[in-house]
Amino acid sequence: MNGGLTGMKKRKQSMKGKFKRKDWQFATLTSLLIATLVTFLCWAILKEPPGEDLTAEALAPLFVQSGVTSPVTAILLNFRGYDTLLEVMVLFLAGLGIWSQATVDPTNPLVFSSPATHPTKPNFHGPGPELILATLVRILIPLMVLVAGYLTWAGGFQAGGAFQGGALLGGAGILLILAEPQRISTIPPALIRFGIVLGPAIFLLVGVSCFGYGGNFLQYPQPGAGSWLLLIEFGAAISIGITLTTLFVGGRPDPKRLKGTDQP
Amino acid sequence: MTGINFQSGLHILLLSSGAGLPLLFVLFLWWRPCRKTVYALLPLTTLPALLIVLFVPSEVVVEVPWFFMGGRMGIDPIGRAFLFFTALVWCFSTLFGQASLSDDPNRYRFFGYFLVAMAGNFGLILAQDGLGFYLFFAMMSFAAYGLIIHDDTPEALRAGRIYLGLVIIGEVLLFAALLMIAGMAPGLLFSTGQPGTGGALLFVLLFLGFGIKAGALPVHFWLPLAHPVAPTAASAVLSGAMIKAGLLGWLRFYPLGLSNPGDYGEIVIVLGLIAAFYGVVVGLGQREAKTVLAYSSISQMGLMTILTGCAMLTPTYRATIFSVIALYAIHHGLAKSTLFLGTGLLKSSKNQYSQRCWLTAGLIFIALTLAGFPFTSGAMVKTALKNVSGSLAPPWSGILHLLLPLTAVATMVLMVHFFTVMPTGKASSSKRKQWREMLAWGAGLLGVVAGLRLWPEAARFHYGILDSAVLWNGLWPILMGSVIGWLIHRMALRAEKESIFELPPGDIVGVEGYWNQRKIIPWFTSIQQTPPGDTQIFGTPGFISFFSKYQGELGKREKILMRWKVIGILYLTLCLCLIVLFAFY
Amino acid sequence: MNQSGNLLIFILLSSLLPGLIIFSLPEKSHRIRTILNLGGALTKLSLILLMILGIYQGFYYEFRWTLFPGTDLVLNADPLSALFATLSAVLWLLTTIYAIGYLEQSPNRSRFFGYFSLCVSVTVGIALAGNLLTFLIFYEMLTLTTYPLVIHRGTPEAMAAGRVYLCYTLGGGAAFMAGVAWLTALVGPLNFHVDGLLLPVVETHRVSLTLIFILLIGGVGVKAALFPLHGWLPRAMVAPAPVSALLHAVAVVKAGVFGIIRIVHDIYSIDLASQLGLLFPLSLLTSLTILYGSWRALQEDDLKRRLAYSTISQVSYIALGISLAHPLAAMGGLVHLVHQGIMKITLFFCAGNLAETLGIHRISEMNGVARRMPLTMAAFSIGALGMIGLPPLAGFVSKWYLGLGALAADQGWVIVILITSTLLNALYFLPIVHHAWFSSQEHPWPTRKAGKLEAHWMLLLPSLITAFLVLIIGLLANSEMSPMAWARLIMNKESLQ
Amino acid sequence: MIEPASLAPWLIIIPLAGGLLAFLLPSRSVLIGLSATVANGLLALAITFYSINTIPLEYALGGWPPPAGILLRIDGLTLVMLTMTAITGLAISIYAQGYFPARIGSGNGVSRHGPQQDFFWPLWLMLLAGLNGLFLAGDLFNLYVTLEVTALAAVALTALSGKHTSEVAALRYLLVSLLGSLSYLFGTVLLYRACHVLHLATLGALIVSSPVVWSGLALITVGLLLKTALFPMHFWLPPAHVNALTPVSAILSALVIKASFYLIFRFWGDVFMRILPLGGYSLLGGLGAAAVLWGGIQALRQKRLKMLIAYSTVAQLGYLFIALPIIRHDAGPSSRFALVYLIISHAGAKAAMFLAAGNVFLHFGHDRINELAGVKDALPMTSFALAVAGVSLMGLPPSGGFIGKWLLLTASFASGQWWWGIILIAGSLLAVAYIYRVVRHLFTKAPGPSSGKRQVARTMEASSLFLAVLSLVMGIFAPLVSKLIASDAVSLASLLAGVVP
């Protein structure tokens, strides 16, 4: 019996050694391959000058018709608005995906590890960080929302746009959750859903309503394309913000738990 | 016009009912409700054949193109002679069998086969083309199996087995022969008159194929086995009628198929001569009366074989010799069948002395007829035979002149032996039945006496003249044969045996130990239990076991492919591979 | 033209539709199923007869459906297809009656009859296929529709047999498919009715053509049970008797042989095939199969297995006839397609009768059985004697023409094969017949119900009809309506072309 | 008369709108989902019907012509893929409509299965939108986006069942997807750098061989290979497909895999055919051949039905890759047609198989192959569907699989590449072997009393049977499909000749 045990041990050890050696071999091989590939790529890119951008010239007269002056926004929302629509959908999908996977119990202290939700935890530092956080939030949130709005609006003529604005909104949302998770958790899920859907839905609706003006899908009516774009931008920004926030939370609110919190 | 039509219609009806009526009877025999009636009417079945012999002219040929492979029925001179005695033999035998088997439980079965064989026998005579002949020949041969094994004794079964084996071999030989002939003579019509182009192979095929039926020498051995075990009526037709079918086959097919029959005539004559004596010698070693008769048949068929050989040697006299053969066949058919009937009758007539006397007398008469006693049909055919042999080329005419009387002597010796082993009555049967049997036998006897006299062609051979030379020629072989036969009997008695030497019936089959049927023909015993599966060249088990052997290994390999590291390397390698391929394109 | 093409479709549908409906019927609706079965069978038969009349009058039936440019599904009716289709339809009708009687109380009848109908549709499809692709499609479908029939009983034995069956047939199908694809790639779509397809490529592709021929014959040879591809057939005997009857007499093996005929005659053409030296090896192979099958049959005690080996042997006659490259031999082969079908189905019907009525499966149990079931055994004997090739039964006719053709083609050795096979046939059939009629009974059998027939009439009638057919088509071989005449017509047409 | 091209955007709008709505109104998600898929189906058929004589069509989104804007492009292949997706998707949807209630009713409580249903529909509709978008896209970058939509939705669906195994599998799938997408994106960037065009047709006409283009195409291809799970990179596929919920397995195996393969086909069989190296085709074909054999052998050793089906997917994907070298060397359109036929018949058959396997699982509570005896009595339609779908996978006539294999076989011989034909046949025989392992149980009776637990809704059985029968009788549509593909071949010929269409 003893012999058997030692035998097994030995085998285990030898297996370990083998694996190690194999790992080492793997690593060498992988790095060699990567090096080769990267070297080749670099060589190829450096060797060849980028091709002539003929399209830029072709595009120039079109920017006038786009309704916005920022070329980036023009491309993103107008020329290639379809791509952007789908990107918005990707974000929506991300949120959807997370929501489909997990539920979050807003009352669960382990999820919302904010100090405010730990009344039992001994507090040694007087007015602890939660107070600081709450104060900060009260000042910061309106400002952030404001800036987000500006950024979104500014997208029409300079750097900015829905994604930037949305990101800021998302940041605001995260702060809010960190500070006052209890209050956030009372928001009815339907409303959150509505918020998530809002942006994509507006985008889609606008695109469809273009049919009403006799155009193609997403062919905004010519005079006033800018305002259509603005509408889309704002909708998108709001939804992006909310989606990012929900992504941070990492799941949909558990309906049962919500009921539970309502009833005590 | 209508008269002619009526007449030809009648001919067609007769020709087709020659074989058709017996078959029709078979159907009714099967059908239970009318079995008895049909049984009573059995002898009627031979009526159409007799009517054909009497009334249908030779030129009538019925063509039935849709039948089988083009049927053609008619009656030519040879056919008429053969049908004449065949129909008579069948008629007497039917009468006899109807009486003797009247309380046999399996009588309907027996007559089923009997009628089919009869139909075959008539049909093959009437058929005017090779395939038709073959068809009826096969029908007759196979049906005869049912007759041979009727009694279900082990001997009968053994005889049947051997018979059937030979029949099948004969069938396939003939099949091959027919195929060869068909290539030369389209339609296989007997009346073409054109010689074929066949050679030695065809001759061998034909000789053996029909020889089996005709009891020719190397393939004769079923006869002595089958005749004794079959019911008497069956033995009678087997030996009297069916055996001649083989002869007819030779007559029909040699001229049709062989390019130069003369090449083989000598062989045939030699074989016939040997058979004529061999049958007698072996027959002397037998103890059973019917077996002795069977060997006698072999011997007599040897004589007919000689005649066939003569016909082959001298094509110019072919027609004449054929008619001589026909006469011989008539003579022997009637005589032998009546002998068989009488023997059967003797067996069943215990304690009836007067009847036995009559019977014995009748049998002696027939025996003398066979041996060629003057004024009998035997004498007539002997004369005819002598005439024929005289017309042959030098060596053969001399040889035959010398040997033919000796065959008559031999026949007589065998007949004497036959009487010494004559059965004593073993069983008695009802009087009524015996009377009917006697009646049938009597009719047969009448046929032996008068049959050939009635036959018009026989008139050509003057045998009835009271000429001392003729008388002497007819008598001395009989006398000599009787003396020799008596001497042999004495020797046997002295040796306290029934015959001077004993041979098992079916000589070569019985003598040779290694002819053991069970070894040669996997008949009953060789059926094995189902072997475990057939050759499975692409069988599944092998594949599956191979697969399951490596199953674990396959799983391991698949696991390796699941590792991220491996995937990474694969990804990179593939990228590089493609680039390299690009580079070398 | 279009209308006459529709007739072909109707012929297919006449059994396909009932089959599909039967699948959906509940197990208990015996009456509807019977009506559907028989109605379908009768309809099919009458439609085929209609078609034959049309062919006689010189109509040309074709149904063409373009799958893809250059790739058509073609159904059309030439005398050869009519021959096979009629055979299938007639025997289907009889087998249906038989099967209804046979499976009276057994489970899964809906499934059985459903597949049964599909199987026949597919068989007729094979018969009517007008090009090699269509043939291939139906040929493979035949495998699928017959598999459920082979394993109908669902016992482990049946499953094992089914596995072997699939292994063989699908393997063969794959080879066949490869061959067809290769050939198509060489010369384009392969219609059965266009001559000289391969002539342009003969010189350049001799080896390819030879290899393709091997692939094709190997493919169809599986179903035709050519040695050494025959192993599935005896094992498939676990199927119920009607299946064995139809499968072994008509559907599967005949489909294979029919394929050989099509390939040799209509694709390669006799001239080309013999020029490539392909026919002599084929005739050797078929001869070997003939002898081997007979030899193995001798050793079987199980009645159905003995019959199966006999099938292996007999079916090769057809291929032998084709491979001898002479019209007479081909006629013999063609007519044997019909003759063997009818004879063998008779034997299987009778075997099924014995099994169903008396529980007899082995030859050693058959002593004296004719006393109990005279009609059945009479039918059996006729079938058996026909198989041996006794005149005037059907088997002789085919053998005769085979022999004539062999001699005319200067291949005398074939006669030896025929003779040997006949002897072997006699050796394994005659003892059965002998024991049935002349031996005395050894085992007690269920007593016969008073006033009843020896077996259920639905079992008895088909076997009697087929036995009668064996007799009559032999007897009337020379008449105008016989299969022989039809085979002659086919060959004449071919030689005229 | 409606302009057929103007219907094209609705193929994206409808599922997107449906997805959003279904998310917004979880209680109505089933209704929304079903109506969206039905509408999608009708639309796809309508477009196919209307545009069959006018393809190729283009639709400028936003009214902008390229190079500024994005074009939707409709050609024969697109139409086939769209219709295939629509019909298969519809059947799967009908199945799902019965599936979730059955799961919910099965006693595990609402807790897990209710939300599964709520999220299945929006995810599935988004996936559908992604697929439709992908098939319609005529723009290199737009393809990336749609690929992403598809992949994300697919990953989320994979994880939907909530079991640990499926989460692991989904994560693996996500990583693979990301790697593939990134690889694709990087390749796109490189190509853009070389040509400054994203519009595919223009790109195909403009592109010239250079190291950058080589690397771009290599990265794109390998990324897509990874997503298509071509051997030896199929490792993620079986666990992901097997552990997902039944309708999801069907979607993944029948449709999602086809999306990335569609791209490979687009690039290798169409757009970049001019400059791709012959050796590359042989490499892909070789990997395909290995996949056929390896997948088949692995399928043979599986003990679970779904696992077997998943490995069968691996094997069947191999056929698609084998077709590429044949297409490259084949002058006529028949090999393209064969490939398309293999794609669509596999979609139908595989979806049917997975759905049927789901029924079996639902009924027995397991899907162990060796214990399937008696399934015929319990689930007649399902077992029939299994058998019929099996026939199509084996490639036996009259199934669509047969037509595909047959044409491919002929083309392989005709183009002198018989070895691919042999692999095809070997693969078919392997398929026979592993399908047989399943099908034989359909004919045996259960040894004991039926161990089945649940009744399976008729719609669920019917939808799997529908798909199976569809794949069996697909030959009926062959003339239609061949017409579509043939018109593609014409435009392809002009592309290869260097003319911008």
Side-chain angles (χ1 to χ4, degrees), chain C residues 304-322:
Chain C
K304 277 175 84 181
R305 284 177 68 103
R306 182 175 284 197
L307 293 181
Y309 276 111
S310 157
T311 307
I312 292 172
S313 159
Q314 291 279 338
V315 162
S316 276
Y317 277 26
I318 307 169
L320 178 64
I322 298 304

Side-chain angles (χ1 to χ4, degrees), chain C residues 5 40 46 86 91 97 161 166 199 208 217 268 340 343 362 442 493:
Chain C
S46 37
T86 317
L91 295 190
I97 298 172
L166 271 190
L199 286 179
S208 304
I217 294 294
Y268 272 72
Q340 192 268 348
M343 293 188 289
R362 298 192 162 270
E442 284 173 4
K493 214 169 177 186

Side-chain angles (χ1 to χ4, degrees), chain C residues 122-397:
Chain C
V122 172
T123 310
V124 174
I126 287 180
L128 297 178
N131 64 14
L132 208 49
L133 176 67
T134 318
F135 181 87
L136 168 68
I137 288 176
F138 282 113
Y139 186 78
E140 297 274 357
M141 278 162 71
L142 186 62
T143 306
L144 298 181
T145 48
T146 45
Y147 172 73
L149 295 176
V150 171
I151 60 159
H152 180 72
R153 296 211 198 277
T155 55
E157 210 186 346
M159 298 308 293
R163 191 175 68 194
V164 173
Y165 178 65
L166 271 190
C167 261
Y168 274 86
T169 48
L170 289 178
F176 188 59
M177 187 164 159
V180 177
W182 192 353
L183 201 55
T184 310
L186 271 186
V187 296
L190 295 150
N191 285 316
F192 289 143
H193 303 277
V194 180
D195 264 10
L197 278 172
L198 305 185
L199 286 179
V201 295
V202 177
E203 286 313 314
T204 47
H205 290 87
R206 288 187 81 88
V207 179
S208 304
L209 285 181
T210 310
L211 286 176
I212 291 171
F213 189 80
I214 293 170
L215 276 177
L216 292 177
I217 294 294
V220 288
V222 170
K223 286 219 170 99
L226 281 184
F227 179 82
L229 308 169
H230 63 281
W232 60 273
L233 187 62
R235 303 199 72 182
M237 285 301 121
V238 295
V243 175
S244 306
L246 197 65
L247 233 67
H248 294 85
V250 193
V252 178
V253 286
K254 286 297 156 57
V257 177
F258 189 73
I260 295 180
I261 299 176
R262 284 294 197 199
I263 291 164
V264 173
H265 268 252
D266 294 335
I267 297 295
Y268 272 72
S269 83
I270 294 282
D271 292 341
L272 187 58
S274 41
Q275 190 191 328
L276 289 171
L278 299 170
L279 289 182
F280 184 65
L282 181 61
S283 60
L284 280 185
L285 185 67
T286 47
S287 307
L288 182 64
T289 313
I290 289 173
L291 297 184
Y292 178 80
S294 302
W295 177 64
R296 289 303 302 265
L298 266 177
Q299 303 176 342
E300 288 292 343
D301 188 33
D302 185 293
L303 181 57
K304 277 175 84 181
R305 284 177 68 103
R306 182 175 284 197
L307 293 181
Y309 276 111
S310 157
T311 307
I312 292 172
S313 159
Q314 291 279 338
V315 162
S316 276
Y317 277 26
I318 307 169
L320 178 64
I322 298 304
S323 65
L324 287 179
H326 192 276
L328 280 173
M331 257 157 66
L334 284 179
V335 82
H336 203 53
L337 191 82
V338 178
H339 288 171
Q340 192 268 348
I342 297 175
M343 293 188 289
K344 194 42 72 66
I345 210 169
T346 310
L347 294 175
F348 273 111
F349 280 159
C350 295
N353 266 359
L354 295 176
E356 186 70 7
T357 316
L358 304 180
I360 291 177
H361 297 281
R362 298 192 162 270
I363 292 159
S364 46
E365 301 164 342
M366 283 177 70
N367 288 353
V369 74
R371 279 165 229 241
R372 171 71 175 72
M373 302 180 76
L375 287 175
T376 306
M377 282 319 292
F380 186 92
S381 307
I382 290 180
L385 294 179
M387 280 287 172
I388 298 169
L390 285 193
L393 302 176
F396 174 77
V397 179

Side-chain angles (χ1 to χ4, degrees), chain B residues 216-237:
Chain B
L217 203 47
V219 283
H220 64 284
F221 48 84
W222 66 273
L223 268 166
L225 292 172
H227 289 204
V229 293
T232 305
S235 326
V237 287

